């Protein structure tokens, strides 16, 4: 399968040969390594995106600036032999969201600094999202206000790109209604974006960008974020139902410059993902699923080590993560509800995977290191893999490299996306 570039997606759809690109939204080094290795092996675009809360000019919750994040990706890419021309760095939900508790002007000033930092670090796919209200404003803003703020951010991005050199950015506009990273409660249905609302978003942005002298920038807008009717809660998944989006698909006929960008596509599986690409959603964003399956593999190895090695202890990685999350509940306590027993399993196994915020901590890294050191080189009998991670049985009965098991598990999910993205080119 040949590499597909972002600016080819609309043309390929129109020509009847839809293709897609997976957007990997994670800062975990093992997920990044799996994505870059898979991209090299498949010679396909590796689109890696950071969100405004995760990575920004002040550090974000990862402690990384855009320059730090770009350096991490490039370092791993060199180690994996992934050519630079395959890698695209993107910024997701770039806008005032991290500072929305401040007055709008103050929040937008920070957002402008953030966008400049992203572009200077080499990010060239920018999702501009200024749809959220700041202090004293409604939670969600109207199209007009949103578009004016997006144009302000685009002006900064254009100036920064001209100053730093290289390709000019491509843009994605719009926002999905459910919260980024998954909903907090059990879901029964999600309504797709109305076609009239999508057309209005595009029209208002086109007019306001033109009034701001940013017509050329808008000409590089490739995508619109809409809700295709997919989402996941803490314990269930709403799968794609293409019968509900006939009206929404017609938007792309009226606006052939655009494709749709689908957020929260985690846990859909290959068939729904393929249908999404066929129906005009060729940019498939995935994040929590990749760290969820990484945690799945880590916990399976933790159980295997407990059963195999007398001195390892009883699931010390699980025990360490439980203690860490109880000690620092800020990243999960507002999102998980129920009895103590329910919240305990949610901390570890929720599909929203809020445990991902803890893997970078010293305690978690120490526990993972001890697990990998304990199992490295061990011969794991086939029945133990059958008990704890049957699909990984190929790693049985040979000296074990735990990191390769982790990368293998993340790659299995990436392969589902890759298969969907190659639709029409099999």
């Amino acid at each position: 399968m040949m590499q597909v570039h972002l600016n080819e997606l609309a043309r390929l759809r129109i020509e009847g040969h839809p293709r897609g690109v997976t957007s990997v939204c994670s800062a975990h080094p093992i997920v990044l390594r799996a994505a870059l290795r898979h991209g090299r092996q498949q010679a396909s675009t590796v689109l890696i995106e950071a969100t405004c809360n995760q990575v920004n000019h002040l550090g974000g919750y990862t402690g990384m600036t855009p320059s730090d994040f770009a350096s991490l990706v490039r370092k791993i890419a060199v180690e994996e032999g992934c050519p630079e021309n395959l890698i695209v760095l993107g910024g997701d939900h770039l806008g005032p969201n991290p500072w929305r508790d401040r007055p709008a002007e103050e929040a937008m000033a920070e957002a402008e600094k953030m966008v400049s930092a992203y572009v200077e670090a080499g990010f060239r796919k920018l999702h501009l999202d200024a749809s959220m209200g700041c202090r004293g404003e409604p939670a969600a803003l109207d199209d007009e206000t949103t578009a004016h703020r997006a144009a302000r951010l685009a002006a900064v991005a254009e100036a920064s790109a001209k100053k730093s050199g290289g390709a000019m950015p491509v843009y994605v506009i719009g926002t999905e209604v459910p919260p980024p990273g998954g909903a907090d409660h059990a879901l029964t249905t999600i309504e797709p974006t109305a076609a009239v609302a999508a057309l209005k978003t595009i029209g208002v942005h086109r007019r306001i960008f033109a009034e701001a002298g940013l017509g050329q920038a808008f000409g590089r807008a490739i995508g619109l974020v809409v809700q295709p009717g997919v989402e996941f809660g803490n314990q269930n998944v709403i799968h794609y139902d293409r019968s509900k989006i006939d009206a929404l698909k017609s938007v792309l006929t009226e606006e052939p410059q655009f494709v749709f960008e689908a957020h929260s596509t985690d846990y859909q599986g290959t068939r729904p993902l393929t249908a999404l690409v066929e129906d005009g959603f060729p940019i498939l964003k995935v994040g929590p699923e990749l760290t969820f399956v990484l945690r799945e593999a880590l916990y399976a190895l933790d159980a295997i080590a407990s059963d195999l090695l007398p001195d390892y202890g009883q699931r010390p990685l699980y025990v360490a993560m439980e203690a860490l999350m109880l000690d620092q509940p800020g990243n999960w306590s507002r999102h998980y509800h129920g009895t103590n027993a329910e919240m305990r399993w949610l901390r570890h196994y929720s599909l929203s995977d809020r445990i991902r915020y803890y893997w970078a901590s010293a305690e978690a890294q120490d526990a993972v290191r001890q697990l990998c050191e304990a199992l490295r080189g061990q011969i794991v009998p086939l029945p133990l893999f059958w008990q704890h991670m049957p699909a990984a049985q190929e790693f049985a009965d040979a000296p074990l490299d735990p990191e390769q098991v982790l990368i293998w598990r993340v790659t299995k999910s990436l392969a589902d996306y890759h298969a969907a993205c190659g639709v029409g080119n099999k």
Side-chain angles (χ1 to χ4, degrees):
M1 195 166 98
M2 291 177 59
Q3 182 183 10
V4 177
H5 298 280
L6 294 174
N7 58 10
E8 298 175 313
L9 295 173
R11 175 181 61 78
L12 288 166
R13 185 195 65 79
I14 291 165
E15 291 175 354
H17 304 291
R19 299 277 295 283
V21 173
T22 307
S23 169
V24 174
C25 303
S26 178
H28 196 294
I30 290 175
V31 172
L32 298 178
R33 188 174 299 280
L36 290 159
R37 182 179 298 181
H38 186 256
R40 172 181 59 78
Q41 291 169 342
Q42 303 296 330
S44 59
T45 296
V46 186
L47 172 56
I48 294 174
E49 303 211 43
T51 67
C52 59
N53 290 310
Q54 181 186 52
V55 171
N56 58 52
H57 60 297
L58 302 176
Y61 68 71
T62 62
M64 284 190 279
T65 64
S67 176
D68 295 332
F69 185 84
S71 296
L72 174 63
V73 171
R74 291 180 183 126
K75 172 180 173 288
I76 297 172
V78 168
E79 292 168 359
E80 290 297 327
C82 183
E84 200 170 324
N85 68 311
L86 293 180
I87 303 167
V88 178
L89 295 177
D92 196 24
H93 292 285
L94 300 186
N97 190 54
W99 307 282
R100 66 186 184 277
D101 58 340
R102 304 187 194 178
E105 273 309 306
E106 203 178 307
M108 281 298 295
E110 293 294 348
E112 288 176 337
K113 291 176 193 169
M114 174 178 66
V115 166
S116 181
Y118 265 85
V119 174
E120 286 169 12
F123 289 73
R124 286 297 182 271
K125 176 189 177 288
L126 308 179
H127 171 213
L128 302 178
D129 182 8
S131 63
M132 67 293 299
C134 299
R135 185 192 295 174
E137 296 181 326
L141 300 177
D142 59 86
D143 276 325
E144 195 92 7
T145 307
T146 299
H148 276 292
R149 291 180 184 177
R152 276 180 64 176
L153 298 176
V156 170
E158 294 286 293
S160 296
K162 285 170 185 164
K163 180 180 171 188
S164 55
M168 295 300 286
V170 299
Y171 296 101
V172 172
I173 59 172
T175 192
E176 84 278 36
V177 178
D184 293 340
H185 50 284
L187 302 167
T188 53
T189 185
I190 294 284
E191 285 304 309
T193 301
V196 64
L199 286 168
K200 184 183 176 195
T201 295
I202 294 172
V204 170
H205 277 75
R206 179 179 283 120
R207 171 174 58 80
I208 286 170
F209 272 57
E211 289 168 359
L214 292 165
Q216 277 193 330
F218 194 82
R220 279 181 264 109
I222 60 166
L224 175 70
V225 176
V226 293
Q227 173 51 260
V230 305
E231 187 52 270
F232 56 93
N234 283 324
Q235 55 185 301
N236 73 318
V237 179
I238 303 295
H239 286 96
Y240 180 55
D241 180 354
R242 67 193 329 175
S243 71
K244 292 185 173 182
I245 66 128
D246 285 345
L248 185 55
K249 275 200 297 189
S250 69
V251 169
L252 299 179
T253 304
E254 290 190 51
E255 292 285 358
Q257 169 183 341
F258 285 85
V259 294
F260 293 135
E261 177 169 285
H263 290 212
S264 298
T265 68
D266 308 69
Y267 312 109
Q268 288 289 314
T270 302
R271 187 176 293 178
L273 293 172
T274 301
L276 280 163
V277 175
E278 288 175 340
D279 291 346
F281 297 85
I283 304 174
L284 301 173
K285 301 189 87 89
V286 57
E289 177 183 340
L290 301 178
T291 42
F292 179 94
V293 299
L294 173 65
R295 191 270 321 140
E296 176 189 285
L298 281 165
Y299 276 16
L301 292 176
D302 193 36
I304 286 171
S306 295
D307 283 347
L308 184 67
L309 306 170
D311 299 329
Y312 179 70
Q314 279 304 306
R315 299 185 68 191
L317 175 60
Y318 177 97
V319 171
M321 297 308 291
E322 174 72 355
L324 179 58
M325 287 186 286
L326 288 175
D327 185 54
Q328 301 172 28
N331 287 312
W332 61 265
S333 58
R334 288 181 296 112
H335 304 273
Y336 299 157
H337 310 287
T339 65
N340 287 338
E342 287 166 336
M343 286 193 288
R344 180 185 172 93
W345 77 254
L346 283 168
R347 281 193 291 276
H348 298 272
Y349 305 115
S350 164
L351 296 180
S352 67
D353 191 56
R354 302 194 72 83
I355 194 174
R356 71 186 184 275
Y357 297 108
Y358 297 88
W359 292 117
S361 71
E363 297 94 326
Q365 290 195 359
D366 284 346
V368 170
R369 191 179 305 112
Q370 287 169 22
L371 167 63
C372 291
E373 287 174 358
L375 280 178
R376 190 170 293 113
Q378 295 287 340
I379 308 291
V380 178
L382 178 63
L384 280 184
F385 271 114
W386 279 4
Q387 176 64 37
H388 297 297
M389 194 163 43
Q393 65 180 26
E394 67 192 74
F395 295 98
D397 299 326
L400 189 69
D401 183 340
E403 286 86 356
Q404 296 312 311
V405 179
L406 303 177
I407 290 169
W408 163 85
R409 184 60 190 92
V410 175
T411 304
K412 274 176 64 69
S413 282
L414 291 172
D416 289 344
Y417 278 82
H418 185 72
C421 288
V423 67
N425 193 55
K426 293 171 182 170

